Amino acid sequence: MADPARARRLAKRISTIVASAIEYEIKDPRLAGVTITDAKVTNDLHDATLYYTVLGRTLEDEPDYAGAAAALESAKGVLRTKVGAGTGVRFTPTLSFVRDTVPDAAHRMEELLERARAADADLARVRQGAKHAGEPDPYRVSGAENADSDAEDSGDDDRPDD
């Protein structure tokens, strides 16, 4: 079993090699917006999982996830050869590609937070001129202070006389 620190270093190196090869060496147009976001290598250094995301060309353009997955699958052999040459390990890890859904989840969270901010702003606008229903202090009884002070002054105690 390999050292986990060595597996992390190898994963980082594999990520760099694959990203560089996708950007500069592989001429598949379906890989134009593919970015390698993370890599994980098993502790025995035999399998590597690379996480990727596909960026759209414009804000309105929906990324082609299926095309990018097919292009990565077809380029897997070439990429593994590049990884083997670039790392110099005894056994070149097998590569598997998994679409990274973290950016999508982050975008969804931003949308939900924006909706919550808008709802808070609407509530603040409604509350701006609102008043409480009823009296300001419904538990205060007017004249209660006078009744307490009168009872003390009259000398009427509930204590029996000694």
Side-chain angles (χ1 to χ4, degrees), residues 89-154:
V89 293
R90 184 180 307 168
F91 179 81
T92 302
T94 60
L95 303 179
S96 62
F97 294 95
V98 176
R99 186 175 146 230
D100 192 1
T101 58
V102 170
D104 296 334
H107 181 69
R108 175 78 176 130
M109 289 297 290
E110 284 296 325
E111 288 175 352
L112 291 173
L113 287 172
E114 186 58 37
R115 282 195 349 209
R117 285 185 199 106
D120 286 347
D122 289 342
L123 182 62
R125 191 172 40 255
V126 168
R127 289 177 56 190
Q128 197 167 20
K131 293 182 181 178
H132 290 288
E135 297 177 17
D137 188 5
Y139 300 107
R140 180 176 294 174
V141 178
S142 62
E145 296 91 18
N146 294 339
D148 289 339
S149 64
D150 290 341
E152 290 175 6
D153 292 339
S154 66

Side-chain angles (χ1 to χ4, degrees), residues 15-97:
S15 172
T16 304
I17 291 169
V18 170
S20 176
I22 288 173
E23 186 173 354
Y24 297 114
E25 298 174 22
I26 298 177
K27 302 299 180 196
D28 193 337
R30 298 176 293 178
L31 295 176
V34 173
T35 303
I36 302 297
T37 57
D38 195 14
K40 304 268 188 226
V41 176
T42 58
N43 284 340
D44 62 359
L45 307 179
H46 282 280
D47 299 309
T49 303
L50 290 121
Y51 296 91
Y52 69 94
T53 186
V54 182
L55 304 175
R57 300 201 195 317
T58 63
L59 293 177
E60 295 84 26
D61 187 20
E62 183 66 27
D64 183 19
Y65 296 117
L72 286 170
E73 193 63 35
S74 69
K76 189 183 287 189
V78 173
L79 291 172
R80 187 170 181 217
T81 303
K82 299 257 182 228
V83 167
T87 57
V89 293
R90 184 180 307 168
F91 179 81
T92 302
T94 60
L95 303 179
S96 62
F97 294 95

Side-chain angles (χ1 to χ4, degrees), residues 155-161:
D156 294 335
D157 291 319
D158 293 335
R159 293 181 288 167
D161 291 335

